[in-house]
Amino acid sequence: GNSVTQMEGPVTLSEEAFLTINCTYTATGYPSLFWYVQYPGEGLQLLLKATKADDKGSNKGFEATYRKETTSFHLEKGSVQVSDSAVYFCALRGSGNTGKLIFGQGTTLQVKP
Amino acid sequence: DSGVTQTPKHLITATGQRVTLRCSPRSGDLSVYWYQQSLDQGLQFLIQYYNGEERAKGNILERFSAQQFPDLHSELNLSSLELGDSALYFCASSRMDPQETQYFGPGTRLLVL
């Protein structure tokens, strides 16, 4: 079945460092891919998405490119801020007629001043 | 604020009890999804409703049931509660098309003692 694998955290970075959080997936057909972010004590917020191969999703300085050849959707940001500290979830939605999301385990990011 | 509301925010109960979690989707959204977030299982899809009808089922226990009412709000009923049911329960909603973005509520934190 479909699945998502994320790099294990926590990831600890200094402010203004470069961020990469790896995400790979297994899926049949043509899934859509997402990054969601969960700030402490809050629900999940959609960060960015890509619906087909080679699409690049971007938002708030974060980017991820849908790579079908490597089945990956790695999250990157050039310069992180303390306010980016959160848990990041990679997710996929299959190409069927249900919208259910399959999530990775989540990666905790801590950014220190 | 995603526009999805969930009540209650916190719930503490005892083993063997039954609870009901409530979700109001964003205005105009016809689909409602329920997810469970626990330390050992991560974020898992439970069930989806679309315009009052069950659309998809995930790893939902037989002790759990859900429904979506004519006004489109949804309830998740958890019965014969066990310690392992302690988790954060999220509701999400989306527009008609299952390929539309899902917006998450703030969650209900359930603690079973």
Side-chain angles (χ1 to χ4, degrees):
Chain A
N2 295 346
S3 66
V4 175
T5 303
Q6 282 180 243
M7 65 186 284
E8 288 200 23
V11 174
T12 303
L13 296 173
S14 298
E15 207 165 21
E16 298 184 3
F18 184 86
L19 168 71
T20 300
I21 300 178
N22 290 338
C23 171
T24 57
Y25 68 90
T26 301
T28 54
Y30 303 94
S32 295
L33 300 172
F34 304 82
W35 278 100
Y36 278 84
V37 59
Q38 185 178 28
Y39 297 102
E42 298 185 14
L44 281 81
Q45 298 176 27
L46 177 66
L47 184 58
L48 52 84
K49 68 178 182 181
T51 58
K52 60 182 188 296
D54 300 324
D55 267 2
K56 177 186 279 188
S58 61
N59 186 26
K60 298 180 182 179
F62 291 89
E63 291 183 340
T65 301
Y66 186 163
R67 302 276 188 210
K68 194 163 176 66
E69 64 276 14
T70 54
T71 61
S72 65
F73 192 54
H74 304 322
L75 182 68
E76 296 181 337
K77 186 175 186 184
S79 176
V80 292
Q81 306 300 311
V82 172
S83 57
D84 293 326
S85 298
V87 182
Y88 292 81
F89 291 92
C90 184
L92 76 78
R93 182 179 59 209
S95 50
N97 69 345
T98 78
K100 74 175 187 181
L101 294 171
I102 296 171
F103 288 89
Q105 286 296 103
T107 302
T108 299
L109 170 66
Q110 184 176 26
V111 181
K112 296 188 172 179
Chain B
D1 185 353
S2 66
V4 179
T5 60
Q6 290 186 246
T7 56
K9 196 171 175 65
H10 301 280
L11 200 46
I12 302 174
T13 189
T15 53
Q17 296 298 305
R18 172 190 166 95
V19 297
T20 297
L21 313 184
R22 182 187 169 103
C23 168
S24 293
R26 293 188 318 154
S27 176
D29 284 1
L30 298 180
S31 270
V32 169
Y33 306 80
W34 286 97
Y35 293 87
Q36 179 195 56
Q37 184 179 29
S38 62
L39 282 175
D40 53 346
Q41 300 287 336
L43 253 173
Q44 286 199 99
F45 168 75
L46 294 178
I47 197 164
Q48 176 198 357
Y49 278 82
Y50 174 75
N51 203 22
E53 301 282 331
E54 183 184 301
R55 173 63 66 90
K57 232 173 183 178
N59 297 326
I60 188 166
L61 299 171
E62 284 192 15
R63 300 183 285 108
F64 295 1
S65 64
Q67 58 185 127
Q68 186 179 27
F69 294 86
D71 67 351
L72 300 177
H73 91 271
S74 177
E75 292 181 356
L76 179 67
N77 299 297
L78 315 177
S79 61
S80 303
L81 285 167
E82 301 175 0
L83 297 178
D85 298 327
S86 297
L88 195 49
Y89 292 84
F90 286 111
C91 166
S93 72
S94 69
R95 302 267 183 226
M96 293 173 55
D97 189 327
Q99 299 303 312
E100 294 281 341
T101 297
Q102 290 178 37
Y103 293 88
F104 281 74
T108 293
R109 186 170 295 279
L110 172 67
L111 180 60
V112 182
L113 299 175

